[in-house]
Amino acid sequence: MFRKAVSGILFALLLIGVLAFALNIRLVNASGTIYIKADGSVEPPDAPILNVENVSYTLIDNIYDSIVVERDNIVIDGEGSTVRGTEAYDSKGIYLSGRRNVTIKNMEIKAFYYGILLYGSSNNSIVGNNIANNKYGMGLSESSNNSIVRNNITANSWDGIWLSVSSKNSIVRNNITNNYWGVALYLSSNSKIYYNNFINNKDPVYDGSWDYPEYYAPSINVWDHSYPFGGNYWSNYTGVDLYSGVYQNVTGSDGIGDTALTIDKNNRDCYPLMAPISVFDDGTWNGASYSVDVISNSTVSEFQLNTTEKTIKFNVTGETGLGFCRVTIPNIVIQNMWHGNYTVLINDQPWPFTNWTDTENTHIYFTYQHSEHEITIIPEFPQATILSLFMILSLPVLVFTKRKLSRKHKT
């Protein structure tokens, strides 16, 4: 009887193994906390992280616990992998304490108490991550001069980003959506917070001084990048766009609201954007990475930058009413692609546009009736070049005509 039972168990285990192999199923156990140690090693050694020269760390599989970073001057690249928790109290997806020059990018972080937590850490970069369904999306405590760029910070049950005693940080080009508070501030001033989409948060911004002035002094930050660059998109903004210019008193729209959005008596976005921002990679120019930003009340898709044909193309789609685009292109691209001369086509037809230039970017604005359109920005020959080209092309005709007249005269 005992032998039959053992044989049955062994047969069942063998069958499970065969089925798992046939279906390509891998059983994954919780990894436990993973440490990137100060000496560059990864603990435990079998964690799914590829370590290249103790500088570059790439996730090669999903991780089902926390990553604690104890080393400076490194890059941690998720390459699309997920770091997932169990929503345990005080759990941290990625934790940096006392760290400098760490880049965390391209990963999905979910189901933690804190998706990412920086404590006493400076000059770090949080880039291109999806941080969703945590208690707090991202927290900075006593951490300054960090860069939070191009992240999707979504559906966190409390704060999308909170800053406590943290100054001089940059929060730029993020989607901060469907959180309780978008950005929460406690004794945190002198940060730059612009070109973000604040969409459908219960409140886009909260300052601890509003409810507890006896404990917190007001946090005072910069909420726009001046004119013509602009500020943030706020889904609760109710202003209109009839004017343009630094003082919004020049007739003609520019994609920026005519009145400031007041956050509190110490903070306001002077140039709120009239539609969400879509951010697209613009490649590397002179060793630096750039983006093209499209602010539009249309759905923007199929973005392409072709350096061979020297074109930027994308599609816009909308159902009814007047559509607009405000395209922000780095000046280095404008000069390298078009030598400063360009034109806009809609469905291959030349289209009127307005533009403004600052020290870093050119901003191109145009309107159209909503439908499905292809937008193309192409090089335009300057007038002097067109005249020279006309003269060169006309020269053979003149020579031929002169010879013909000369022959006729001789006869």
Side-chain angles (χ1 to χ4, degrees), residues 15-257:
L15 182 61
I16 291 170
V18 171
L19 288 172
F21 179 79
L23 296 173
N24 195 27
I25 294 174
R26 180 174 55 181
L27 301 178
V28 180
N29 295 320
S31 64
T33 300
I34 295 172
Y35 295 86
I36 299 177
K37 307 291 284 185
D39 64 4
S41 63
V42 177
E43 182 66 37
D46 61 348
I49 297 179
L50 176 64
N51 177 3
V52 179
E53 298 182 349
N54 295 334
V55 174
S56 177
Y57 297 81
T58 303
L59 275 59
I60 56 176
D61 202 348
N62 297 330
I63 290 174
Y64 295 89
D65 213 301
S66 303
I67 300 175
V68 177
V69 182
E70 299 178 345
R71 182 173 175 82
D72 295 338
N73 305 308
I74 63 173
V75 176
I76 306 171
D77 189 344
E79 286 205 341
S81 295
T82 297
V83 180
R84 186 182 182 94
T86 60
E87 302 182 0
Y89 174 75
D90 206 36
S91 60
K92 307 165 186 70
I94 311 290
Y95 181 47
L96 280 64
S97 178
R99 300 276 61 83
R100 294 177 58 87
N101 298 317
V102 175
T103 296
I104 299 167
K105 65 179 184 178
N106 302 332
M107 62 183 74
E108 185 169 359
I109 304 167
K110 60 172 57 177
F112 291 94
Y113 197 81
Y114 303 101
I116 298 176
L117 181 61
L118 277 61
Y119 177 75
S121 297
S122 61
N123 298 99
N124 303 289
S125 297
I126 313 298
V127 183
N129 302 285
N130 294 320
I131 306 167
N133 301 113
N134 304 282
K135 180 75 170 181
Y136 298 92
M138 185 185 311
L140 280 70
S141 178
E142 300 180 28
S143 297
S144 299
N145 295 299
N146 299 287
S147 180
I148 301 168
V149 180
R150 296 184 67 174
N151 301 282
N152 295 314
I153 303 167
T154 304
N156 298 285
S157 59
W158 206 240
D159 305 339
I161 305 173
W162 64 261
L163 294 88
S164 176
V165 197
S166 296
S167 62
K168 298 181 180 179
N169 295 288
S170 294
I171 302 174
V172 180
R173 292 187 174 90
N174 300 283
N175 292 314
I176 304 172
T177 63
N178 294 298
N179 307 284
Y180 189 86
W181 287 326
V183 173
L185 301 158
Y186 304 87
L187 298 173
S188 296
S189 295
N190 301 312
S191 288
K192 297 178 180 179
I193 307 171
Y194 59 83
Y195 253 45
N196 302 288
N197 292 318
F198 288 92
I199 299 175
N200 295 336
N201 303 284
K202 185 179 183 300
D203 287 303
V205 180
Y206 174 78
D207 190 315
S209 68
W210 298 349
D211 291 328
Y212 304 101
E214 65 274 24
Y215 297 114
Y216 300 108
S219 299
I220 303 175
N221 295 283
V222 176
W223 296 89
D224 61 71
H225 198 41
S226 195
Y227 193 85
F229 197 91
N232 300 276
Y233 172 69
W234 311 84
S235 61
N236 64 334
Y237 178 68
T238 58
V240 298
D241 177 23
L242 301 176
Y243 298 97
S244 60
V246 175
Y247 302 104
Q248 292 293 287
N249 59 355
V250 178
T251 301
S253 302
D254 57 0
I256 291 174

Side-chain angles (χ1 to χ4, degrees), residues 325-400:
C325 279
R326 179 184 173 92
V327 186
T328 298
I329 305 174
N331 288 334
I332 190 172
V333 178
I334 294 282
Q335 292 302 320
N336 277 275
M337 291 257 286
W338 306 313
H339 303 290
N341 298 283
Y342 53 87
T343 192
V344 174
L345 308 179
I346 295 186
N347 302 330
D348 294 326
Q349 299 298 314
W351 205 259
F353 64 90
T354 309
N355 60 358
W356 301 266
T357 301
D358 58 39
T359 56
E360 298 175 349
N361 300 281
T362 293
H363 312 270
I364 303 170
Y365 178 84
F366 50 90
T367 63
Y368 44 83
Q369 287 299 313
H370 261 138
S371 181
E372 184 172 352
H373 303 294
E374 181 183 69
I375 310 299
T376 310
I377 304 175
I378 63 171
E380 179 184 65
F381 288 118
Q383 293 300 319
T385 303
I386 294 173
L387 180 60
S388 299
L389 185 61
F390 176 77
M391 293 176 66
I392 292 170
L393 293 174
S394 299
L395 186 59
V397 177
L398 293 172
V399 171
F400 176 78

Side-chain angles (χ1 to χ4, degrees), residues 271-285:
Y271 301 106
L273 306 175
M274 293 300 296
I277 310 156
S278 299
V279 181
F280 301 99
D281 287 325
D282 199 13
T284 301
W285 303 81

